[in-house]
Amino acid sequence: MPFKSPASQLSRLGPGLVLCFAATGLAFTIHAVLPAVPAMTLAVALGLLSANIPGTSVLTAGRARPGLDFAGKHLMRAGIVLLGLKVSIQDVLGLGWLSLVLIAGVVLVSFVGTYGLARLLRLPGETALLIATGFSICGASAIGAMAAVRRIRHQDTVLPVALVTLCGTLAIGVLPLLMHPLNLNPEQFGAWTGASVHDVGQVVATAQTAGTAALAIAVVVKLTRVVLLAPVVAAAGLHQRVDHVRKRANGAGQDDGTDGKFPPIVPLFVLGFLAMVAVRSVGWAPPAVLEGAALVQDILLASALFGLGSAVRVRTLIHTGGRAVMVALGSWLLIASLGLVAAWIMIR
């Protein structure tokens, strides 16, 4: 690969990155006025608008595209690393072993169920894998991590990210309406939200409608699901490596674009995520650092989501994403049902 000077790189990536950060600032401004709408959801929505409004679609498809793609890939990975600073192993273990087993069960069954439904509806294997990962674990962050370990093209993550974000937004409006008909107390509602809503910001927006008690348990349950990102990605990476070895042994896979190299079992940024979990758990990061890192993480993830959203053309989505939408809605109903049962058992 030819060397590119910092100046040429800045010239190539600058327009897209400036657009990402400007949209992120707008998303946070709207969120400050309308706290019920997560900034991450707004970032995706702004990306979708930018890709489909005649005045800005030329920019997002042209000069700004390299920077937007950079944000969707690399800023997403940096945000995942910092996400680890929100997870404390002590808080996770404080839920008790029954709760941990139930949460792991929700993740496993929703992952397998979503993947099976996607394959039943004949979605491509990698698309099915990304949707299953995003819906069962932690939304767009999980999709980015899985795409990295499976070497899935950046463009192929766009549709799963859009679907998981839109369905998470749907949960913000629907779940609070079901709290009283289902006779849930605030703690049960919080556990249900944490076990079934996808993105951390969406969990906060949903759970806070039932008060601080619901919000507290929702965040811990959700972050417990986030911890499972590492073993799920590691399992996918191991499977990828075994498959790679098998193909090489059979004389295939030499022209697969990997130059004969083994894919990583766990990407470096996922190891970074685990390192940040350890830093948080041992108490090395003071509160001021945690607050600053949380802000930076939100900015990075919002910028990445805007970059991904800006690649979604609604016309193409309508023509090619019908079956994927059916899978997403089916997965949303599945994990909501599993999470509800788990919440009832965890908190009686």
Side-chain angles (χ1 to χ4, degrees), residues 151-292:
R151 293 184 174 176
I152 298 171
R153 296 184 309 163
H154 170 70
Q155 301 94 311
D156 294 334
T157 68
V158 170
L159 178 59
V161 166
L163 291 174
V164 77
T165 303
L166 293 174
C167 285
T169 304
L170 181 64
I172 297 172
V174 173
L175 265 60
L177 297 178
L178 298 176
M179 177 179 174
H180 294 297
L182 293 172
N183 197 30
L184 298 175
N185 61 41
E187 290 79 9
Q188 288 173 325
F189 179 75
W192 182 31
T193 301
S196 58
V197 180
H198 315 307
D199 179 77
V200 175
Q202 294 164 344
V203 168
V204 172
T206 306
Q208 68 185 3
T209 61
T212 56
L215 180 59
I217 191 169
V219 170
V220 175
V221 171
K222 174 59 192 174
L223 292 178
T224 302
R225 287 170 60 200
V226 172
V227 171
L228 295 174
L229 173 64
V232 170
V233 167
L238 182 60
H239 178 271
Q240 180 85 335
R241 175 168 290 205
V242 170
D243 187 58
H244 191 75
V245 171
R246 180 183 58 80
K247 288 181 178 179
R248 289 182 63 184
N250 293 333
Q254 298 299 322
D255 299 320
D256 60 359
T258 63
D259 299 325
K261 296 179 180 178
F262 289 112
I265 294 178
V266 182
L268 283 177
F269 68 93
V270 175
L271 295 177
F273 164 81
L274 292 174
M276 292 301 101
V277 172
V279 168
R280 173 63 185 268
S281 299
V282 299
W284 286 349
V289 171
L290 294 176
E291 290 177 9

Side-chain angles (χ1 to χ4, degrees), residues 8-269:
S8 65
Q9 285 281 64
L10 182 61
S11 175
R12 187 175 71 91
L13 301 178
L17 291 176
V18 168
L19 186 58
C20 280
F21 290 128
T24 296
L26 179 57
F28 277 102
T29 301
I30 298 173
H31 172 66
V33 177
L34 302 171
V37 185
M40 304 303 152
T41 300
L42 290 167
V44 173
L46 290 172
L48 288 168
L49 287 174
S50 72
N52 294 279
I53 294 176
T56 57
S57 60
V58 175
L59 177 63
T60 59
R63 188 182 176 198
R65 192 70 253 157
L68 294 170
D69 288 340
F70 179 91
K73 182 177 181 179
H74 297 287
L75 298 189
M76 173 68 76
R77 295 181 181 185
I80 293 172
V81 171
L82 292 180
L83 180 60
L85 286 174
K86 291 186 174 179
V87 183
S88 168
I89 295 299
Q90 291 87 340
D91 290 341
V92 170
L93 295 178
L95 290 173
W97 289 109
L98 175 60
S99 296
L100 294 178
V101 170
L102 288 169
I103 294 167
V106 168
V107 170
L108 177 61
V109 175
S110 59
F111 182 95
V112 173
T114 300
Y115 185 82
L117 177 61
R119 298 301 286 154
L120 183 64
L121 292 181
R122 299 182 180 178
L123 291 186
E126 301 294 16
T127 300
L129 180 63
L130 293 180
I131 292 176
T133 305
F135 275 77
S136 62
I137 303 177
C138 57
S141 301
I143 290 172
M146 184 61 75
V149 76
R150 298 288 295 191
R151 293 184 174 176
I152 298 171
R153 296 184 309 163
H154 170 70
Q155 301 94 311
D156 294 334
T157 68
V158 170
L159 178 59
V161 166
L163 291 174
V164 77
T165 303
L166 293 174
C167 285
T169 304
L170 181 64
I172 297 172
V174 173
L175 265 60
L177 297 178
L178 298 176
M179 177 179 174
H180 294 297
L182 293 172
N183 197 30
L184 298 175
N185 61 41
E187 290 79 9
Q188 288 173 325
F189 179 75
W192 182 31
T193 301
S196 58
V197 180
H198 315 307
D199 179 77
V200 175
Q202 294 164 344
V203 168
V204 172
T206 306
Q208 68 185 3
T209 61
T212 56
L215 180 59
I217 191 169
V219 170
V220 175
V221 171
K222 174 59 192 174
L223 292 178
T224 302
R225 287 170 60 200
V226 172
V227 171
L228 295 174
L229 173 64
V232 170
V233 167
L238 182 60
H239 178 271
Q240 180 85 335
R241 175 168 290 205
V242 170
D243 187 58
H244 191 75
V245 171
R246 180 183 58 80
K247 288 181 178 179
R248 289 182 63 184
N250 293 333
Q254 298 299 322
D255 299 320
D256 60 359
T258 63
D259 299 325
K261 296 179 180 178
F262 289 112
I265 294 178
V266 182
L268 283 177
F269 68 93

